[in-house]
């Protein structure tokens, strides 16, 4: 059986800040303060989770974060992924750039201006991607090429891709 996880010894200054956090308007800070103070009173993570209304693994994560980072654990970290997987290979990126330098009319589209949605549809229809990708995937890929996008501009006679968002 695993040894129960508790918060490390809390200094008097930390306890004052945690108690002040109980009056926070930010629910994230409030909940973390409740968890940490309950753990300092000797309550086990499953009991804390039931009172606070979250999963017991969430309680353990908060306790571990506090034990590692102290009061910094009360600050919300970014929820963005650290890394994203590239959807397009270098060859596919080049093919996408070439595609965007052509008129959408060449692909039997009723407009002469590319949109992100239209670029996603045409890239899938022409076998550039195995599945239809999102508009934001197209935006990210174009952004990764170092090319600047300008919204609402037609591609005709332009040196770089211009896409209407």
């Amino acid at each position: 059986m695993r040894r129960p996880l508790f918060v490390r010894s809390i200094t008097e200054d930390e306890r004052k800040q945690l108690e002040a956090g109980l009056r926070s308007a930010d629910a994230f800070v409030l909940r973390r303060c409740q968890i940490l103070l309950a753990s300092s009173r000797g309550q086990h993570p499953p009991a804390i989770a039931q009172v606070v209304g979250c999963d017991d693994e969430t309680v353990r994560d908060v306790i571990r974060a506090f034990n590692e980072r102290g009061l910094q654990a009360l600050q919300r970290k970014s929820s963005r992924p650290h890394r994203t997987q590239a959807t397009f290979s270098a060859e596919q990126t080049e093919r996408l750039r070439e595609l965007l330098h052509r008129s959408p009319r060449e692909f039997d589209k009723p407009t002469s201006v590319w949109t992100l949605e239209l670029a996603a549809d045409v890239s899938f229809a022409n076998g550039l991607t195995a599945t239809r990708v999102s508009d934001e995937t197209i935006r990210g890929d174009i952004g990764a090429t170092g090319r600047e996008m300008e919204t609402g501009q037609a591609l005709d006679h332009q040196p770089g891709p211009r896409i209407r968002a």
Side-chain angles (χ1 to χ4, degrees):
M1 186 168 154
R2 279 193 318 203
R3 211 175 92 223
L5 178 65
F6 294 103
V7 73
R8 64 168 169 72
S9 296
I10 297 176
T11 66
E12 192 58 38
D13 184 49
E14 289 173 332
R15 182 171 303 282
K16 286 179 183 176
Q17 289 188 42
L18 291 172
E19 288 171 352
L22 294 175
R23 295 182 295 280
S24 175
D26 184 354
F28 181 84
V29 173
L30 170 68
R31 177 157 299 174
R32 285 192 165 220
C33 289
Q34 290 172 329
I35 290 169
L36 295 169
L37 288 169
S39 179
S40 73
R41 291 190 300 269
Q43 290 183 299
H44 293 263
I48 297 170
Q50 189 173 16
V51 170
V52 176
C54 64
D55 188 71
D56 58 329
E57 194 57 40
T58 301
V59 172
R60 288 185 188 93
D61 289 343
V62 171
I63 293 170
R64 283 187 204 105
F66 182 79
N67 288 344
E68 291 172 14
R69 299 190 330 254
L71 291 173
Q72 293 293 317
L74 298 180
Q75 295 177 355
R76 188 183 313 258
K77 291 171 64 178
S78 173
S79 61
R80 293 184 69 182
H82 295 287
R83 283 184 265 167
T84 58
Q85 184 176 355
T87 305
F88 292 94
S89 67
E91 178 187 330
Q92 288 171 313
T93 299
E94 186 58 35
R95 286 180 52 204
L96 175 63
R97 289 179 59 210
E98 290 170 5
L99 181 139
L100 294 175
H101 283 284
R102 296 169 58 190
S103 171
R105 293 186 192 276
E106 292 180 40
F107 301 98
D108 298 324
K109 301 300 177 186
T111 181
S112 61
V113 178
W114 284 106
T115 64
L116 294 170
E117 182 178 358
L118 187 60
D121 289 339
V122 171
S123 64
F124 172 62
N126 286 288
L128 190 60
T129 58
T131 59
R132 190 205 182 275
V133 295
S134 72
D135 307 357
E136 290 305 313
T137 300
I138 297 291
R139 181 192 308 272
D141 187 64
I142 293 169
T145 64
R147 306 291 277 204
E148 188 171 320
M149 290 189 335
E150 294 181 17
T151 60
Q153 299 289 323
L155 278 174
D156 306 280
H157 312 297
Q158 297 293 331
R162 307 275 193 255
I163 296 180
R164 180 181 294 157

